[in-house]
Amino acid sequence: MVPKVVFGQGCFDQLGSILAPQRKDKAPFIFLVDDVFKQNKDLLDRINLRFNDKLLFISAEEEPKTTQVDQIVKDIKAEFTYKPSGIIGIGGGTVLDLSKAVSIMLTNKGSAADYQGWDLVKNKAVYHVGIPTISGTGAEVSRTTVLTGPVRKLGINSDFTPFDQVVLDPELTIGVPKNQWFYTGMDCFIHCVESLNGTFLNAFSQSYGEKAYDLCKEIFLDEGLPDEESRGKLMMASWHGGMSIAYSQVGVAHAMSYGLSYVLGTKHGIGNCIVFDHLAEFYPKDVALFKEMVKQHNIDIPKGLCSNLTEAQLNTMIDIALSLVPLWENALGENWEVIMTRDKLKELYLKM
């Protein structure tokens, strides 16, 4: 679990006092910041760089890659003779996942691709802080950092992955475009659906999942567009949804969206929405609710993404999805392979 968290409007301004005790002599803090904030002077001034601290702008246009992690680590090691005091991620799920991965790879040898899987990390990561600027991904709380590698899309899932500190300031989510607000919020909703309907469910994950699920219904069915109160609620839903899957697992939608992302580069939030729209067979009540939310907010869910794929692309997509065994076990039980055959997966993908 993340050991320390602060929450509240304006709490981002506590960052300096949070970091001060962690600063090591001559060792910088490295800030990975979503490049959408490049022209946001107010936010950049509030970061308050000290001494030889370094700010790196990160594009979130594409899903994070193992090669990107390796390059950032290489650049940091080339510029600084001292191991950084810490890595601070400020952004959405892409930037937060990159920050977790970079902090791990600063203390572990090889490539980030070597650690894609469960409990492969041997050495504790450097101190790392997560500051989400959009709500829903759960990246701020999860024990995984999802990366696209040379042969698969899979997380570095370990006890060393979670942030040492998280700063949850709903003010930082002001200005998120409506579609992105919805797609990322639905990532949270789908986390809850897959956790609450999974075979790995336990009392701990259920308590978090039910709270996040109810908050998502309030936000996307009752409250309309985000205001100060709903921004805070969605930030809490993201946290609770992330906690729920941290102690259970996700399911069909996430497994299939990984395939979409690997082959087509589809962003995670919208990819989950594209897939979930066709999963009434597995989550009937929740897909009906999802469709109601889509209609209420007049959101466009892309169609026809897989209609012109080659057989090789479809097979790669299916291979990626089927490789995520724990997700299928959670969703469909130990005999999942009898239910989710390659033909069944192909049929589902071709609807998208």
Side-chain angles (χ1 to χ4, degrees), residues 268-292:
H268 183 69
I270 192 171
N272 276 339
C273 289
I274 292 166
V275 173
F276 197 68
D277 200 35
H278 298 278
L279 297 185
E281 176 183 347
F282 304 98
Y283 310 109
K285 172 177 70 77
D286 304 302
V287 171
L289 262 182
F290 168 78
K291 289 179 181 291
E292 191 178 335

Side-chain angles (χ1 to χ4, degrees), residues 212-262:
Y213 186 91
D214 289 344
L215 283 169
C216 284
K217 286 199 298 183
E218 284 182 36
I219 295 159
F220 292 102
L221 288 177
D222 302 334
E223 295 191 355
L225 293 176
D227 56 15
E228 181 176 317
E229 183 178 356
S230 69
R231 282 192 293 269
K233 284 183 178 179
L234 187 54
M235 194 159 262
M236 281 295 95
S238 179
W239 180 270
H240 283 70
M243 286 290 286
S244 184
I245 60 169
Y247 292 92
S248 57
Q249 189 51 272
V250 284
V252 180
H254 276 75
M256 293 188 66
S257 75
Y258 280 21
L260 276 182
S261 177
Y262 187 85

Side-chain angles (χ1 to χ4, degrees), residues 78-303:
E79 183 169 352
F80 299 101
T81 55
Y82 296 89
K83 188 179 296 178
S85 291
I87 302 294
I88 320 300
I90 304 174
T94 292
V95 173
L96 296 184
D97 277 349
L98 279 172
S99 302
K100 289 189 283 190
V102 167
S103 69
I104 286 170
M105 294 312 302
L106 283 166
T107 58
N108 289 273
K109 296 179 179 179
S111 165
D114 300 333
Y115 300 92
Q116 286 182 285
W118 281 264
D119 299 307
L120 301 175
V121 180
K122 303 302 180 188
N123 301 315
K124 183 180 178 180
V126 301
Y127 176 79
H128 49 305
V129 177
I131 306 173
T133 60
I134 189 169
S135 298
T137 69
E140 66 274 16
V141 69
S142 76
R143 74 187 295 273
T144 191
T145 166
V146 181
L147 303 171
T148 300
V151 295
R152 56 188 171 177
K153 180 178 178 181
L154 186 62
I156 298 177
N157 196 313
S158 82
D159 285 342
F160 300 122
T161 306
F163 288 109
D164 297 293
Q165 169 84 53
V166 169
V167 177
L168 298 175
D169 185 346
E171 284 184 0
L172 298 182
T173 68
I174 293 173
V176 172
K178 180 184 174 184
N179 274 8
Q180 191 61 51
W181 164 78
F182 185 87
Y183 296 143
T184 312
M186 286 302 100
D187 188 17
C188 175
F189 178 70
I190 295 166
H191 285 160
C192 302
V193 170
E194 295 184 321
S195 174
L196 293 171
N197 288 279
T199 63
F200 292 3
L201 186 67
N202 54 72
F204 194 89
S205 57
Q206 183 174 1
S207 63
Y208 281 103
E210 287 176 345
K211 181 61 179 175
Y213 186 91
D214 289 344
L215 283 169
C216 284
K217 286 199 298 183
E218 284 182 36
I219 295 159
F220 292 102
L221 288 177
D222 302 334
E223 295 191 355
L225 293 176
D227 56 15
E228 181 176 317
E229 183 178 356
S230 69
R231 282 192 293 269
K233 284 183 178 179
L234 187 54
M235 194 159 262
M236 281 295 95
S238 179
W239 180 270
H240 283 70
M243 286 290 286
S244 184
I245 60 169
Y247 292 92
S248 57
Q249 189 51 272
V250 284
V252 180
H254 276 75
M256 293 188 66
S257 75
Y258 280 21
L260 276 182
S261 177
Y262 187 85
V263 174
L264 299 176
T266 310
K267 295 281 286 182
H268 183 69
I270 192 171
N272 276 339
C273 289
I274 292 166
V275 173
F276 197 68
D277 200 35
H278 298 278
L279 297 185
E281 176 183 347
F282 304 98
Y283 310 109
K285 172 177 70 77
D286 304 302
V287 171
L289 262 182
F290 168 78
K291 289 179 181 291
E292 191 178 335
M293 293 172 182
V294 169
K295 184 178 179 180
Q296 179 167 322
H297 293 282
N298 194 28
I299 299 296
D300 176 48
I301 305 297
K303 312 284 185 188

